[in-house]
Amino acid sequence: MSTSLDYDLSQKHQKLLDLIEDVTTHAYEIQKKVLAEILSHNANVEYLQRHGLNGQTDSETFKKLVPIITYEDIKNDINRIANGDTTSILTANPVSVFLLSSGTSGGERKMIPAIEEDFGRRYLIFRLLMPIMNQFVPDLDKGKGMYLMFTRNESKTPGGIKTSAALTRFYKSSHFLNRSYNPFTSPNETVLCLDSYQSMYSQLLCGLCQNNEVLRVGAVFATSLIHAIRFLEKNWSLLCDDIRTGTINPLVTDISVREAVMKILKSDKNLADFIQSECSKGCWQGIITRLWPNTKYVDAIVTGTMSQYIPTLDYYSNGLPLVCKIYASSECYCGVNLNPLCNPCHVSYTLIPTMCYYEFLPVNRSNNDSLHEKEQQELVDLVDVKLDQEYELVVTTYAGLYRYNVGDVLKVTGFKNKAPQFKFVCRKNVVLSIDLDKTDEVELQNAIKNAVTHLAPYDADVAEYTSYADTRTIPGHYVLYWELNLKDSTTIPDCVYEDCCLTIEESLSSYYRLSRVLEKSIGALEIKIVEQGTFDKLMDYAISCGASINQYKTPRCVKSAPVVELLESRVMTKYFSSKCPQWVPSHKEWTNN
């Protein structure tokens, strides 16, 4: 029987679907308006004055005078703001928070400026998701989502501006905390808990207590959900005890978390017995559908580098649909998937024209390079992209980024009215990624260069190398295959190779080290020594598959199963880092909030 609440919700959903229809139909006009709004509001900021814009708001003048940039081009401006300069440098609005990107910049995480009104704009993207999903899976609002969400410590810059992970800031925003009802099994207090063990434990406990109400299970990224399943595998007996007795394990010490959980937790012997029966069977195939039997789909990002986790999630969910709903970055929340039940390999995102001003830099990855210089500078607007062409995404945001190259490579797959739909192809220049880490070829090469100094006393060096993101282990870890030049018969002690592993890890980005040390989402780096001639065999294999012997280059990262099998067949010895690398928060002089 329908209620007035159902009718109100249906009306709200229809208005949001109408909004998508409207903004995609009028994409050209909206993009023109967005750019004019950004440039007029920020007309007097130092950055635009520096480039001679002088208050002009038309796209032709903007593109002529304002250059395409990366983070390094505005790093000094960012640091001035962070250190307390209150001049209108990038934006007329005060920067309310710096969002910490997972990308690297000289080994440090990027600080992306955000203004307070940004969060309302970003929240709009989240408001669109349920109306879209309800078209494919009706009555989702009649159940809940066991959606695992986590926050991290925030810091402050010397100038007193908060620095925060983008999702942490979103979860702490009034838009999230003051929503009209909670569609998740996790109370806000469990999400805001900074202790990762207590947060995970309490969220899983609440999800299990409400298992029959759960219609969707998920986390932002596939890695987080897999980590949660492994956590459950280790702690299910404690969770069963809590459900059986109606009390919370003393390991959960956060008072606000305990109080919030106790509003949900009730003694339920039958449920505890059911969970114990399922978890003690030994086989964890289909564990999601077994513990949460009404689950319709798994909600997690499994595009890009996360696609390597699809088989694992299929195993845990018995092949439930894997839904990727949103395309977002620290710089800007951009788009939504209008066909959420499609196969992950076909996921495309419709960019919402109101979020920012978009431009696209054509690329040609088949030549392993961008297009000719003239074409490269001729960025195209949102409505002018071509089907099947790949582009780098360039954004101009309300928060003070102007013609900023995000570093994502996207491919046009279709159109929603006048707005294009894009498939995420890859991060530019990234060769290795396990979680949210992004290690590019230059960073990897420099890390290896630092490590091989340990081999010098033994008259040895690395003749060839490649790498592999091994996600067969949980957590996943980096694997390096080394073929050595050995100048004499001296035996190299195991501890030397272990030191090489550690040196490489010490040389990688702060985000990689944070993931290793604090979040435990990446395992110890591994070096595998392969037989002499292995990389010749690798080249032979590539040529047999059609590669040109004149253009062949040793791949610095491998992914295909036959190549990995070839390398593995020639491994002689293997070594791991003997301890975790050092990690301290970026900008050590900043105090925790």
Side-chain angles (χ1 to χ4, degrees):
M1 179 178 176
S2 297
T3 65
S4 59
L5 181 62
D6 293 330
Y7 179 72
D8 289 345
L9 194 59
S10 176
Q11 275 196 319
K12 288 179 181 178
H13 282 186
Q14 189 56 52
K15 284 182 179 179
L16 289 166
L17 293 174
D18 291 343
L19 174 66
I20 294 173
E21 197 70 27
D22 180 62
V23 298
T24 56
T25 299
H26 301 98
Y28 172 78
E29 297 87 348
I30 289 172
Q31 279 284 277
K32 187 175 180 180
K33 179 184 176 183
V34 165
L35 180 62
E37 285 178 353
I38 293 171
L39 297 181
S40 60
H41 183 72
N42 296 315
N44 296 318
V45 303
E46 180 184 318
Y47 184 85
L48 293 179
Q49 291 291 321
R50 189 186 304 162
H51 291 290
L53 206 59
N54 296 324
Q56 296 178 84
T57 62
D58 62 287
S59 61
E60 293 79 11
T61 306
F62 174 65
K63 292 181 179 183
K64 180 180 178 181
L65 297 178
V66 179
I68 305 161
I69 61 168
T70 64
Y71 184 79
E72 290 301 313
D73 296 308
I74 55 170
K75 189 174 180 180
N76 288 338
D77 291 321
I78 296 288
N79 287 337
R80 283 174 58 196
I81 299 169
N83 285 308
D85 190 332
T86 57
T87 309
S88 295
I89 299 172
L90 295 175
T91 172
N93 294 68
V95 173
S96 59
V97 63
F98 284 114
L99 302 177
L100 298 174
S101 166
S102 57
T104 61
S105 177
E108 300 295 341
R109 299 171 72 182
K110 300 173 186 176
M111 297 192 300
I112 306 300
I115 57 178
E116 201 56 43
E117 71 171 45
D118 250 4
F119 295 100
R121 191 172 292 107
R122 291 172 185 236
Y123 189 58
L124 172 62
I125 290 285
F126 283 90
R127 290 176 59 210
L128 297 174
L129 302 182
M130 188 61 77
I132 293 169
M133 281 306 308
N134 257 330
Q135 296 177 104
F136 298 86
V137 185
D139 298 327
L140 279 176
D141 49 284
K142 291 180 169 53
K144 291 193 173 185
M146 194 193 79
Y147 197 83
L148 300 159
M149 299 165 280
F150 304 95
T151 51
R152 297 177 180 149
N153 274 310
E154 295 181 304
S155 298
K156 284 187 177 180
T157 72
I161 301 174
K162 285 183 177 179
T163 65
S164 174
L167 283 170
T168 293
R169 183 45 27 199
F170 176 72
Y171 294 146
K172 288 188 173 184
S173 72
S174 59
H175 301 284
F176 180 81
L177 295 176
N178 299 331
R179 57 202 187 280
S180 57
Y181 79 103
N182 185 8
F184 307 115
T185 57
S186 299
N188 289 343
E189 292 82 355
T190 65
V191 176
L192 297 178
C193 178
L194 295 176
D195 183 289
S196 58
Y197 180 92
Q198 294 186 61
S199 178
M200 179 73 82
Y201 188 96
S202 57
Q203 289 192 64
L204 283 172
L205 180 58
C206 291
L208 288 168
C209 289
Q210 303 168 81
N211 73 320
N212 283 324
E213 297 178 55
V214 171
L215 300 182
R216 60 196 188 280
V217 169
V220 176
F221 292 99
T223 46
S224 299
L225 184 54
I226 291 170
H227 180 63
I229 300 298
R230 293 304 296 265
F231 184 96
L232 179 61
E233 196 170 356
K234 294 178 182 177
N235 294 279
W236 63 263
S237 61
L238 297 178
L239 292 161
C240 283
D241 290 343
D242 289 355
I243 294 170
R244 184 171 285 109
T245 60
T247 59
I248 310 173
N249 193 294
L251 288 170
V252 178
T253 58
D254 187 305
I255 300 300
S256 64
V257 171
R258 295 182 68 87
E259 290 176 351
V261 172
M262 283 308 299
K263 294 176 182 177
I264 296 170
L265 179 62
K266 300 289 186 289
S267 175
D268 190 334
K269 181 180 181 300
N270 290 336
L271 178 58
D273 289 344
F274 166 72
I275 295 169
Q276 180 175 342
S277 172
E278 293 299 328
C279 292
S280 61
K281 289 179 179 177
C283 175
W284 278 62
Q285 183 174 2
I287 195 65
I288 290 175
T289 50
R290 284 155 51 192
L291 294 180
W292 295 278
N294 297 317
T295 304
K296 307 297 183 185
Y297 63 89
V298 172
D299 187 336
I301 294 174
V302 291
T303 53
T305 58
M306 291 290 157
S307 63
Q308 59 198 331
Y309 300 105
I310 290 173
T312 304
L313 287 180
D314 282 340
Y315 176 81
Y316 285 139
S317 70
N318 266 344
L320 281 177
L322 300 178
V323 171
C324 309
K325 295 188 297 190
I326 186 171
Y327 171 59
S329 66
S330 300
E331 292 83 2
C332 185
Y333 285 22
C334 296
V336 292
N337 180 3
L338 298 181
N339 184 23
L341 294 186
C342 68
N343 188 291
C345 67
H346 297 139
V347 168
S348 291
Y349 300 99
T350 302
L351 300 197
I352 303 301
T354 56
M355 293 296 107
C356 68
Y357 180 66
Y358 302 99
E359 294 178 85
F360 299 89
L361 178 64
V363 296
N364 184 355
R365 289 188 310 121
S366 62
N367 291 335
N368 201 31
D369 202 353
S370 297
L371 299 178
H372 294 106
E373 187 174 346
K374 182 180 177 182
E375 293 173 292
Q376 189 182 63
Q377 295 307 312
E378 293 176 352
L379 275 71
V380 297
D381 290 331
L382 181 68
V383 297
D384 295 325
V385 297
K386 297 177 181 177
L387 189 66
D388 293 328
Q389 172 66 55
E390 291 185 359
Y391 298 90
E392 291 177 34
L393 176 64
V394 176
V395 298
T396 296
T397 71
Y398 286 88
L401 299 179
Y402 305 95
R403 309 197 83 192
Y404 181 95
N405 192 324
V406 175
D408 287 354
V409 177
L410 309 177
K411 181 177 182 178
V412 183
T413 57
F415 295 86
K416 168 66 175 177
N417 298 319
K418 298 296 184 181
Q421 297 172 314
F422 292 89
K423 176 181 180 179
F424 177 84
V425 177
C426 64
R427 285 285 296 174
K428 184 182 178 184
N429 298 328
V430 171
V431 296
L432 281 173
S433 180
I434 292 291
D435 187 9
L436 300 184
D437 51 301
K438 301 177 181 73
T439 299
D440 64 32
E441 187 171 326
V442 173
E443 187 179 9
L444 180 62
Q445 186 171 337
N446 287 335
I448 291 174
K449 182 179 178 181
N450 293 337
V452 296
T453 58
H454 295 292
L455 302 179
Y458 301 91
D459 288 330
D461 60 30
V462 176
E464 274 288 13
Y465 72 89
T466 192
S467 61
Y468 172 59
D470 190 347
T471 57
R472 296 169 296 183
T473 60
I474 298 180
H477 68 290
Y478 289 7
V479 176
L480 300 182
Y481 296 96
W482 281 8
E483 184 175 323
L484 300 180
N485 276 328
L486 299 171
K487 296 183 174 62
D488 58 37
S489 58
T490 303
T491 300
I492 301 175
D494 291 354
C495 63
V496 172
Y497 291 115
E498 292 169 359
D499 288 343
C500 289
C501 292
L502 183 60
T503 298
I504 291 171
E505 293 198 294
E506 296 279 9
S507 303
L508 296 178
S509 71
S510 64
Y511 195 89
Y512 173 91
R513 286 177 279 124
L514 177 150
S515 300
R516 275 277 285 125
V517 177
L518 189 64
E519 298 180 347
K520 313 293 186 186
S521 58
I522 299 177
L525 182 139
E526 182 179 15
I527 290 175
K528 296 185 176 182
I529 307 300
V530 297
E531 298 172 13
Q532 293 288 315
T534 294
F535 282 82
D536 290 335
K537 295 286 186 184
L538 190 61
M539 182 174 72
D540 292 342
Y541 175 78
I543 292 169
S544 72
C545 293
S548 167
I549 191 169
N550 293 314
Q551 295 179 308
Y552 175 80
K553 297 177 182 176
T554 300
R556 293 311 177 203
C557 179
V558 296
K559 296 178 181 179
S560 74
V563 172
V564 174
E565 288 173 11
L566 187 157
L567 291 165
E568 286 292 323
S569 71
R570 299 178 66 86
V571 171
M572 298 187 296
T573 53
K574 56 185 72 175
Y575 307 92
F576 289 91
S577 290
S578 57
K579 58 182 179 180
C580 284
Q582 293 184 6
W583 175 81
V584 292
S586 302
H587 307 284
K588 290 181 288 187
E589 71 276 11
W590 299 355
T591 57
N592 282 335
N593 188 24

